[in-house]
Amino acid sequence: VNGIDTLDTPPTYSQFIEHYLEPNLPVLIGPALTTNWRARQQWVCPVTGKPNFDNLREQLCSNEPIQVPVADCQCKDFTDQKRSTMDLKGFLDEWEEHSRADRPSRTYLKDFHFVKTFPDYGAYETPDIFCDDWMNEFWTRRTDMDDDYRFVYCGGDGTFTPFHADVYRSYSWSANICGVKKWTLFPPNQEQLFQDQLHNTVYDIENVDPIQFPDFHKAKRFTIYQEPGYTLFVPSGWWHQVHNIGDTISINHNWCNGSNLDLLVESMTSDLKEVEREIEHLKDMMDQDEWIETCQKLLLLNSGWDWS
């Protein structure tokens, strides 16, 4: 990989498959992909380019409180940030206060299932090149389950997502509504450089202990700045860290299809083997059916999916 392509004009689906999906390479696509979205037109102040907090409150905050997931970017919790929930209006009020005072934020609204919460709002349309999406099609067709991988992220200057690879080795696409995101992307097959002797992984690439992770500096990486309206395709297995510069809103889907299904299966198989290793000492206390059922329950809790 010599660099990351930037396209002013969205590719056709056949071009996208040939040049990015099958080779598993990232690409940054210009604002033409998102120009007509309601989110681009109504969530951003046309004069300042900052979030239109009044519109967001008026359109999204009803009389009934809406709880949204937030992360504290200054509080590490194992390999992630400390998570909690917050009233959406309260989050917007706090965010606007920090924005007006030009102060960095620590509270980041992330992994917010926007479409599930506002099914009739129509903030955006999934671009054609990302529509062959087996993960979200699965969830939207199930009436006995309630989940999806369609998210909105909102955060002030200084908020960030720690170093990670996306769930199940899925693809993701991320469209910036406003603000700038700094992405640092690492091609696959370098994972041994990210881990210490106990298999702990780097948390923050800007604060890496060279004693604990002596080989991290050897990892090849790419840094890009994603401006408003631009959409980034993140391929399967690419580790990355994302920093928000200014007040930032983005829309993101995790997704998969036939091009990376083998990697999803491999990821789930690996997760199941990890569960089995962790409770190996209990296996002799169970019959075969009980052992399988217990492993599947733990897989569901740990990874979000079991095999069924």
Side-chain angles (χ1 to χ4, degrees):
V1 185
N2 297 316
I4 294 175
D5 289 350
T6 299
L7 306 178
D8 292 330
T9 303
T12 64
Y13 189 55
S14 60
Q15 291 170 337
F16 179 63
I17 290 175
E18 179 182 355
H19 296 292
Y20 306 106
L21 202 62
E22 289 293 346
N24 205 46
L25 295 175
V27 60
L28 187 64
I29 304 171
L33 203 64
T34 63
T35 299
N36 296 323
W37 287 3
R38 183 180 181 184
R40 290 281 318 280
Q41 296 170 353
Q42 299 184 10
W43 291 5
V44 184
C45 176
V47 177
T48 65
K50 289 192 170 189
N52 190 325
F53 291 103
D54 289 338
N55 269 9
L56 289 167
R57 274 188 290 263
E58 180 181 344
Q59 295 178 18
L60 304 180
C61 299
S62 61
N63 294 329
E64 295 293 326
I66 296 173
Q67 293 295 306
V68 294
V70 295
D72 183 343
C73 292
Q74 295 182 20
C75 187
K76 180 182 177 183
D77 186 22
F78 295 98
T79 60
D80 197 6
Q81 297 157 333
K82 185 176 181 181
R83 301 289 189 118
S84 60
T85 59
M86 190 174 183
D87 173 54
L88 177 56
K89 184 178 182 304
F91 168 78
L92 291 171
D93 290 344
E94 178 187 295
W95 184 18
E96 183 178 22
E97 180 183 341
H98 280 78
S99 178
R100 288 183 180 277
D102 201 23
R103 297 201 312 267
S105 297
R106 62 184 291 174
T107 305
Y108 190 10
L109 187 157
K110 59 196 309 186
D111 300 329
F112 175 29
H113 295 268
F114 186 87
V115 177
K116 280 177 52 186
T117 307
F118 301 100
D120 300 320
Y121 183 86
Y124 64 97
E125 294 182 359
T126 302
D128 290 345
I129 58 174
F130 306 134
C131 278
D132 185 18
D133 176 355
W134 298 4
M135 284 173 68
N136 287 299
E137 184 177 345
F138 169 83
W139 287 113
T140 54
R141 290 189 177 198
R142 293 294 289 251
T143 58
D144 59 331
M145 299 179 180
D146 186 27
D147 204 354
D148 68 0
Y149 290 89
R150 300 172 293 180
F151 306 113
V152 164
Y153 291 74
C154 301
D157 186 57
T159 53
F160 76 103
T161 298
F163 189 53
H164 70 288
D166 285 330
V167 61
Y168 313 125
R169 300 189 193 175
S170 59
Y171 300 131
S172 69
W173 60 264
S174 178
N176 234 20
I177 304 304
C178 65
V180 175
K181 284 185 180 294
K182 176 188 175 183
W183 292 77
T184 309
L185 299 132
F186 294 72
N189 304 317
Q190 305 184 91
E191 287 77 7
Q192 74 280 2
L193 303 178
F194 312 154
Q195 297 180 339
D196 64 14
Q197 294 181 344
L198 299 176
H199 302 290
N200 298 306
T201 303
V202 167
Y203 171 76
D204 179 0
I205 63 173
E206 297 191 353
N207 294 282
V208 178
D209 182 347
I211 304 300
Q212 184 180 6
F213 301 100
D215 294 324
F216 183 70
H217 68 282
K218 300 177 183 177
K220 186 170 184 177
R221 69 198 71 187
F222 300 91
T223 300
I224 63 171
Y225 291 86
Q226 180 190 16
E227 297 185 355
Y230 280 76
T231 301
L232 179 66
F233 166 63
V234 181
S236 182
W238 281 62
W239 286 71
H240 50 281
Q241 185 162 315
V242 191
H243 290 260
N244 292 326
I245 301 172
D247 296 314
T248 305
I249 301 174
S250 63
I251 293 169
N252 173 282
H253 283 199
N254 288 99
W255 57 295
C256 82
N257 57 33
S259 294
N260 67 334
L261 185 62
D262 57 328
L263 299 176
L264 260 77
V265 173
E266 182 182 328
S267 173
M268 291 187 67
T269 301
S270 174
D271 286 353
L272 179 58
K273 288 179 179 177
E274 182 180 349
V275 167
E276 291 173 343
R277 281 195 304 269
E278 290 294 326
I279 64 168
E280 179 71 27
H281 60 289
L282 302 175
K283 188 172 184 179
D284 292 341
M285 302 167 58
M286 307 178 192
D287 62 33
Q288 183 67 10
D289 289 342
E290 185 180 6
W291 167 254
I292 292 173
E293 182 181 357
T294 301
C295 289
Q296 290 299 315
K297 285 181 178 179
L298 291 174
L299 179 65
L300 180 63
L301 290 170
N302 182 60
S303 301
W305 276 353
D306 59 12
W307 276 99
S308 64

